[in-house]
Amino acid sequence: MARLKRGERGAFDLVYHRYRARLFGFLLRLTRRRDLAEELLQETWIRLATHAPRLADDTRFGPWLFTVARNLFRSQRRFSLDALIEAKLGRPSPEAVERTSPFELASASELERRLELALGALPTKYREVLLLVAGERLEPADAAAVLGLRPDALRQRLARARGMMAKELERQDRPAGRLAGAAS
Amino acid sequence: MTTDPRPDPVSSLDEDPLLGPLRDLPVRDLEADRAEAIRRRAQLALARSARFADRPWLGSLARVYRLGLEPAFVLAVVFVYLAWALFTVSDLLTLPPVR
């Protein structure tokens, strides 16, 4: 942290290489759009660079970066069509669900494809809690801080998200597999 | 006193057959040239912020200039130029015919 605060490029590179792919994966699964995920990723790193000299010594990069990325996503989303549709329908639009790159879906296993589609079908506030806690394995306290929730509210939201995910997997018109069995 | 019979979704994450596999989803990364471009831009921002680290007021001043004064100056120049061009064209169109 001290080296980054002094503006050392090596220190920045270490953090960048450690968190770049994780942040991008989080943003990509949150936005379902590669171009937007790249834009938000860039802005997140510029925010880190700009705020580096003023960061507290005990700042942990993981939670800080995920908080910034998630806040940027929410700011961008405030005026987006996707958000309006989701507010109206109570779930993302089918177009938004299927927006994941065909190449990525084609190269994924059956299990991955089902999980990605089920994740994409969840409303954003449930998708983000799953991505942080189950996907990124942030500590519950850290995930709660990123999402601006109390720990008990995080638990509730996670349980709800899990239930919705199970329903979504059941809904998919696929042969019953291991996940569908686990969900019931 | 009652106890909640439901498993805690956070502590039982590894054993959860539904949430456990989410961790194993493939990592999605950027293309290398895009990742490098983002890194370079952020490095530039880092160098700029480190330069002003011991004089935060100078950093604020630079930000005000970059975000406020510079665009205002460009707009003013464009406005003056457009006004001059419009008046010139207007004057040309209203010249008395040459005899």
Side-chain angles (χ1 to χ4, degrees):
Chain A
M1 175 57 80
R3 288 176 55 211
L4 184 69
K5 288 177 82 164
R6 284 198 301 271
E8 285 187 25
R9 290 176 170 223
F12 180 86
D13 284 347
L14 277 177
V15 183
Y16 185 71
H17 289 303
R18 183 163 175 202
Y19 287 103
R20 185 195 68 217
R22 286 180 64 188
L23 272 175
F24 182 66
F26 171 68
L27 285 167
L28 188 61
R29 291 188 170 108
L30 207 54
T31 59
R32 322 299 292 180
R33 277 176 50 191
R34 183 168 274 272
D35 60 334
L36 183 57
E38 286 182 5
E39 194 181 305
L40 295 178
L41 182 77
Q42 174 170 297
E43 189 55 35
T44 303
W45 288 110
I46 288 179
R47 293 278 169 104
L48 175 66
T50 310
H51 288 87
R54 295 190 298 279
L55 288 179
D57 290 336
D58 59 349
T59 303
R60 283 177 307 134
F61 291 115
W64 193 92
L65 287 166
F66 280 105
T67 303
V68 171
R70 189 247 182 188
N71 288 346
L72 286 170
F73 167 68
R74 287 175 67 85
S75 302
Q76 174 279 331
R77 198 176 146 73
R78 202 166 291 153
F79 304 105
S80 79
L81 190 61
D82 282 348
L84 284 175
I85 295 172
E86 188 177 316
K88 193 87 175 163
L89 298 177
R91 52 182 289 134
S93 67
E95 290 79 17
V97 175
E98 288 167 11
R99 206 181 282 145
T100 306
S101 147
F103 172 75
E104 281 155 2
L105 279 185
S107 64
S109 70
E110 179 65 19
L111 175 64
E112 286 163 14
R113 196 172 10 246
R114 293 189 67 207
L115 285 171
E116 293 278 12
L117 287 174
L119 259 180
L122 298 185
T124 306
K125 70 176 185 175
Y126 297 109
R127 189 159 72 240
E128 63 187 8
V129 73
L130 283 179
L131 288 173
L132 289 173
V133 178
E136 296 300 331
R137 296 291 161 110
L138 289 193
E139 291 296 319
D142 290 340
V146 170
L147 298 170
L149 294 171
R150 292 193 316 273
D152 55 331
L154 175 92
R155 252 186 211 93
Q156 282 179 5
R157 190 176 288 184
L158 184 62
R160 186 101 196 269
R162 189 196 182 284
M164 295 173 89
M165 179 99 175
K167 273 189 192 155
E168 196 53 45
L169 285 167
E170 279 178 347
R171 206 180 63 81
Q172 289 177 12
D173 187 22
R174 306 274 180 188
R178 185 170 64 88
L179 284 171
S184 58
Chain B
M1 189 173 148
T2 58
T3 53
D4 189 348
R6 289 170 302 179
D8 181 350
V10 174
S11 59
S12 59
L13 217 58
D14 284 327
E15 298 85 45
D16 191 317
L18 190 65
L19 300 185
L22 283 178
R23 185 180 203 178
D24 303 325
L25 282 175
V27 174
R28 306 263 188 239
D29 204 354
L30 292 163
E31 286 163 18
D33 54 344
R34 186 78 181 103
E36 182 57 20
I38 291 176
R39 190 184 71 84
R40 281 199 191 146
R41 273 193 199 139
Q43 294 272 21
L44 281 178
L46 181 68
R48 202 163 42 226
S49 63
R51 203 181 314 141
F52 297 127
D54 51 343
R55 289 163 294 172
W57 58 271
L58 208 56
S60 306
L61 205 64
R63 206 171 306 123
V64 167
Y65 174 76
R66 204 172 55 249
L67 299 177
L69 293 181
E70 195 177 50
F73 177 72
V74 171
L75 270 179
V77 168
V78 169
F79 180 79
V80 168
Y81 175 75
L82 276 179
W84 172 82
L86 281 174
F87 280 119
T88 305
V89 170
S90 167
D91 286 348
L92 283 172
L93 292 176
T94 53
L95 279 177
V98 182
R99 296 191 184 261

